[in-house]
C-alpha cells in the first residue's frame, strides 16, 4: 500500500511525538546485542519517519506541504537519536539497566607473555649493539707510534701544473698519506695536476714521442683532438734539459688566455720547489698517447663542450728507478670563430 501524500489529499500530517517506542527490558540471560538491535530498529526505522514522495511541481501548495513534512521528519529523527542515546547511556525506561560493555580481566598468563616479549626485544637490541662495538675488556690495537714503529713519511706534494713531477721518496709500507693539494686560485678553478704514482708496471705502458712545435690547425679542428694535442705537449719533460715552464709553454698555443693565466707556473713557489726536486733527482718523463672523450653528462653547445683527457706518464730517475703516474684533466673546450678549438678553464671536478 502506498504511503499517503498529504500534499495530494490536502490533509495535514499527523502530530508524532518524538518519544521512542516502548522497548523491552534488557534480559541478562538473552542475547543482549540482538535486543539492542531490535530496539534500535524500532526507534530509527519506524513508518512515522518516512518522508513524502517526490512531486511533479517544485512550487505550489503541495510543494510547501512536502517541504514541511521533510522538516518534521528530520526533527523527529534527531529527537529519536538523542532519546536513544539517553536510554542506552543512563538506563531510562529500563529501570536503570543501561547498556555498558562488560569488563573482562586480562589473564595473568597473557600479561606474563607480553612482558617476556618486551624483555626479549630489549635483550636482542643490546646484543646487536654489543656485537657492533667494543665490549668490556676488549683491547684496542696499539698504534704505530705505541708499537715503536717510525711515523710514515708523507708523499711530497704535486706541482700546481701537470708538468711538475715528484722525485723518488721513501714511503712506509704500513700507511700512505694523501698528497697536499695546491691552493685554489681566486677564480675558483683548480689547476690540472698529476695524480700520485701507481703500482702499474712501467714496462706495460707504451710511451710515444712528444710532438714537436705548436699544434697544427688540423690538430685543433676537433675538441677531442685539441685536448689530446694540448696534453701531449706538456705531459713529457726532461728535468736535466728543460727549464721551469718549458713544457707548459709548448702547450700554450692550444689554450685560451684565461686558461693560460692559471696554467703558467711562473711565480708559483710550489711549482718551483717541486721542479728543483725533480732536477735534483734527474727525472725524465715520457707519456703514452692521450685519450680524450667528451663528457656526456656535461652541458654542450656548438661552441662549448667539456672533454676529459688522460695519459700515463712513465718517470725515470737518474738512479734508474721507474714508476707510473696517471695524468688527467677535465677541461672546457671553446670553439673560435675560425673553427678551431682551444682548451679553456678546468671544469668542475676536473
Amino acid at each position: 500500500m502506498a504511503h499517503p501524500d498529504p500534499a495530494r489529499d490536502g490533509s495535514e500530517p499527523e502530530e508524532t511525538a518524538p518519544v521512542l517506542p516502548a522497548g523491552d527490558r534488557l534480559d541478562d540471560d538473552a542475547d543482549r546485542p540482538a535486543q539492542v538491535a531490535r530496539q534500535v530498529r524500532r526507534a530509527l526505522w519506524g513508518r512515522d519517519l518516512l518522508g513524502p514522495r517526490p512531486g511533479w511541481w517544485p512550487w505550489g501548495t503541495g510543494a510547501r506541504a512536502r517541504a514541511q513534512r521533510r522538516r518534521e521528519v528530520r526533527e523527529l529523527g534527531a529527537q529519536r537519536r538523542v532519546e536513544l542515546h539517553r536510554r542506552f547511556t543512563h538506563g531510562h525506561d529500563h529501570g536503570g539497566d543501561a547498556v555498558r560493555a562488560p569488563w573482562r580481566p586480562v589473564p595473568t598468563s597473557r600479561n606474563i607473555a607480553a612482558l617476556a616479549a618486551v624483555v626479549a626485544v630489549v635483550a636482542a637490541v643490546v646484543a646487536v649493539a654489543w656485537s657492533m662495538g667494543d665490549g668490556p675488556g676488549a683491547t684496542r690495537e696499539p698504534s704505530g707510534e705505541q708499537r715503536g714503529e717510525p711515523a710514515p713519511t708523507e708523499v711530497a706534494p704535486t706541482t700546481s701544473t701537470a708538468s711538475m713531477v715528484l722525485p723518488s721518496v721513501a714511503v712506509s709500507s704500513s700507511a700512505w698519506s694523501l698528497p697536499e693539494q695546491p691552493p685554489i686560485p681566486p677564480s675558483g678553478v683548480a689547476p690540472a695536476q698529476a695524480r700520485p704514482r701507481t703500482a702499474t708496471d712501467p714496462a706495460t705502458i707504451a710511451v710515444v714521442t712528444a710532438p714537436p712545435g705548436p699544434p697544427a690547425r688540423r690538430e685543433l679542428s676537433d675538441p677531442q683532438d685539441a685536448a689530446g694535442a694540448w696534453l701531449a705537449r706538456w705531459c713529457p719533460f726532461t728535468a736535466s734539459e728543460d727549464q721551469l715552464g718549458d713544457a707548459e709553454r709548448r702547450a700554450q698555443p692550444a689554450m685560451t688566455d684565461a686558461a693560460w693565466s692559471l696554467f703558467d707556473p711562473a711565480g708559483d713557489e710550489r711549482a718551483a720547489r717541486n721542479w728543483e726536486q725533480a732536477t735534483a733527482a734527474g727525472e725524465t718523463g715520457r707519456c703514452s698517447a692521450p685519450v680524450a672523450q667528451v663528457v656526456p653528462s656535461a652541458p654542450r653547445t656548438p661552441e662549448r663542450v667539456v672533454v676529459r683527457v688522460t695519459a700515463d706518464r712513465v718517470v725515470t730517475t737518474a738512479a734508474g728507478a721507474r714508476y707510473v703516474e696517471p695524468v688527467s684533466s677535465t677541461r672546457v673546450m671553446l670553439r673560435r670563430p675560425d673553427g678551431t678549438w682551444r682548451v679553456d678553464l678546468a671544469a668542475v671536478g676536473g
Side-chain angles (χ1 to χ4, degrees):
M1 179 176 180
H3 187 77
D5 188 353
R8 294 182 179 273
D9 54 18
S11 61
E12 294 294 332
E14 298 180 359
E15 294 292 336
T16 305
V19 297
L20 291 173
D24 301 332
R25 181 178 181 84
L26 298 180
D27 187 2
D28 294 337
D29 297 334
D31 188 2
R32 293 173 67 92
Q35 297 180 51
V36 172
R38 183 167 57 255
Q39 294 192 19
V40 169
R41 285 195 300 271
R42 291 175 181 176
L44 301 182
W45 282 277
R47 293 179 57 86
D48 54 348
L49 294 177
L50 295 177
R53 295 179 298 175
W56 290 100
W57 301 100
W59 54 79
T61 305
R64 288 193 295 271
R66 288 192 296 272
Q68 177 64 24
R69 175 58 182 168
R70 294 190 187 97
R71 287 192 295 269
E72 294 175 354
V73 169
R74 285 195 296 267
E75 293 175 359
L76 180 60
Q79 295 172 358
R80 288 282 179 85
R81 288 191 292 271
V82 172
E83 178 66 18
L84 186 67
H85 178 268
R86 186 179 66 85
R87 171 182 296 183
F88 289 116
T89 302
H90 303 288
H92 291 281
D93 299 334
H94 290 278
D97 187 14
V99 179
R100 294 183 178 88
W103 180 82
R104 298 180 181 178
V106 180
T108 305
S109 58
R110 183 174 299 179
N111 290 335
I112 295 176
L115 182 61
V118 173
V119 173
V121 171
V122 173
V125 172
V126 173
V128 172
W130 190 295
S131 63
M132 296 178 62
D134 294 335
T139 58
R140 296 179 178 271
E141 183 181 357
S143 61
E145 295 181 357
Q146 295 175 349
R147 295 194 302 266
E149 298 181 359
T153 304
E154 293 187 358
V155 179
T158 59
T159 64
S160 61
T161 59
S163 63
M164 301 298 101
V165 296
L166 301 174
S168 300
V169 293
V171 181
S172 172
S173 60
S174 60
W176 284 77
S177 60
L178 294 175
E180 183 181 356
Q181 298 296 323
I184 303 298
S187 63
V189 180
Q193 61 179 2
R195 296 180 181 177
R197 65 186 64 177
T198 65
T200 304
D201 185 3
T204 61
I205 305 301
V207 298
V208 297
T209 303
R217 181 181 177 85
R218 59 179 178 79
E219 295 180 272
L220 304 177
S221 60
D222 182 83
Q224 292 99 313
D225 294 341
W230 169 71
L231 181 64
R233 280 164 174 79
W234 63 257
C235 181
F237 69 93
T238 304
S240 59
E241 300 177 2
D242 295 341
Q243 300 297 322
L244 175 62
D246 286 351
E248 288 84 355
R249 282 186 285 272
R250 288 194 294 266
Q252 181 181 0
M255 306 181 70
T256 62
D257 293 340
W260 171 250
S261 64
L262 299 176
F263 196 66
D264 185 8
D268 190 334
E269 296 181 358
R270 184 189 302 274
R273 289 196 303 267
N274 287 335
W275 181 253
E276 291 176 359
Q277 295 174 359
T279 303
E283 292 184 340
T284 300
R286 295 293 179 265
C287 300
S288 62
V291 177
Q293 58 181 357
V294 176
V295 179
S297 59
R300 180 176 183 177
T301 65
E303 288 76 26
R304 177 189 177 95
V305 66
V306 178
V307 174
R308 179 172 179 82
V309 58
T310 60
D312 289 321
R313 177 191 289 158
V314 179
V315 179
T316 305
T317 66
R322 303 177 68 195
Y323 61 90
V324 178
E325 55 182 7
V327 179
S328 65
S329 181
T330 303
R331 290 277 174 164
V332 176
M333 305 297 295
L334 298 181
R335 187 176 183 271
R336 301 180 64 179
D338 61 356
T340 59
W341 292 80
R342 294 293 185 276
V343 176
D344 196 44
L345 301 178
V348 177

